[in-house]
């Protein structure tokens, strides 16, 4: 029978005490060095939690624009156009705790930010994030509590940035196929896949 770890003491007994290189990197604000990493990232994964459980959502934009560094303790994340499920936003309204994982193409190290978030639809702030005249509908204000970089092991193990490791999309189920199967052919299908590139081009912002 499988046994499970039930206490923090059991867990710490397995892993021991982290070394200084694992703890010295953590700070409660955005340092100049961490600012450079954030500015270079066009992609961040947003983790939230709510009454229904945890959620993880990808957010992408032009490098330097996926978030705005307002000051050393504040990040601003515009909510660009998407599927309107607003899972992450629902969670933030009910539980402000968030985690951000920044990825930089070609770079092994990632950056982690934890903090608490609020949402605003302030017209002036939304307008300042407009792209091609299209503002986001909300902006998430993140009060930074911890910032630290994550070493490159996960990226190296996964060969994430290695072109030779890229998967041919044609070998996987397409979004249209998945939708068609799950909806019993009510939505999705080949027409969905064929229309998606133009639909995405017209609705990125």
């Amino acid at each position: 029978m499988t046994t499970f770890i039930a206490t923090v003491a059991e867990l710490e007994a397995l892993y021991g005490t982290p070394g200084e290189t694992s703890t010295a990197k953590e700070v409660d604000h955005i340092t100049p060095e961490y600012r450079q990493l954030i500015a270079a990232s066009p992609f961040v994964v947003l983790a939230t939690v709510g009454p229904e459980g945890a959620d993880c959502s990808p957010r992408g934009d032009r490098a330097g624009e996926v978030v705005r560094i307002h000051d050393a303790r504040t990040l601003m994340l515009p909510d660009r156009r998407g599927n309107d499920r607003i899972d992450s936003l629902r969670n933030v309204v009910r539980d402000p705790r968030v985690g951000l994982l920044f990825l930089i193409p070609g770079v092994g190290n990632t950056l982690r930010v934890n903090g608490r978030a609020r949402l605003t639809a302030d017209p002036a702030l939304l307008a300042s994030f407009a792209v091609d005249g299209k503002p986001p509908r909300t902006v998430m204000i993140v009060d930074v509590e911890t910032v630290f970089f994550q070493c490159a092991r996960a990226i190296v193990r996964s060969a994430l940035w290695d072109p030779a490791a890229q998967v041919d999309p044609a070998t996987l189920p397409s979004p249209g196929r998945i939708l068609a199967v799950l909806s019993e052919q009510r939505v999705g299908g080949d027409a969905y896949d064929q229309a998606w590139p133009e639909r995405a081009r017209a609705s990125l912002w």
Side-chain angles (χ1 to χ4, degrees):
M1 177 181 291
T2 302
T3 59
F4 297 95
I5 298 165
T7 68
V8 173
E10 290 179 88
L11 189 63
E12 291 178 343
L14 285 173
Y15 284 87
T17 303
E20 187 176 5
T21 56
S22 294
T23 57
K25 62 187 177 182
E26 181 178 331
V27 292
D28 63 358
H29 62 286
I30 302 167
T31 68
E33 294 77 17
Y34 285 158
R35 176 183 287 263
Q36 286 183 271
L37 296 182
I38 292 172
S41 173
F43 186 88
V44 62
V45 180
L46 169 67
T48 59
V49 64
E52 294 83 12
D55 185 70
C56 206
S57 175
R59 303 301 171 103
D61 216 319
R62 298 162 179 165
E65 296 180 10
V66 69
V67 300
R68 176 183 296 171
I69 303 173
H70 179 68
D71 57 42
R73 295 181 184 273
T74 313
L75 295 174
M76 296 181 174
L77 175 62
D79 189 57
R80 301 298 185 192
R81 293 181 68 174
N83 57 23
D84 293 334
R85 285 181 54 100
I86 60 173
D87 299 301
S88 301
L89 307 187
R90 292 178 196 275
N91 282 349
V92 165
V93 167
R94 298 173 295 176
D95 188 324
R97 293 174 295 171
V98 298
L100 301 173
L101 175 67
F102 291 90
L103 298 178
I104 305 170
V107 175
N109 293 320
T110 58
L111 185 73
R112 294 167 61 177
V113 176
N114 297 313
R116 294 177 179 267
R118 297 160 288 161
L119 300 178
T120 180
D122 177 79
L125 185 60
L126 298 183
S128 75
F129 281 95
V131 175
D132 297 335
K134 301 172 184 176
R137 278 187 277 185
T138 59
V139 172
M140 185 178 297
I141 310 297
V142 179
D143 297 320
V144 173
E145 295 178 344
T146 61
V147 187
F148 56 97
F149 74 87
Q150 184 82 26
C151 77
R153 288 188 185 90
I155 302 296
V156 172
R157 284 193 293 259
S158 66
L160 185 63
W161 305 131
D162 183 355
Q166 291 186 354
V167 176
D168 180 359
T171 65
L172 300 173
S174 70
R177 177 182 169 190
I178 294 170
L179 281 169
V181 171
L182 296 180
S183 70
E184 299 181 338
Q185 308 300 321
R186 292 189 305 276
V187 294
D190 292 340
Y192 179 92
D193 291 330
Q194 292 165 6
W196 191 86
E198 176 58 26
R199 186 169 63 249
R201 186 199 64 78
S203 60
L204 284 179
W205 286 281

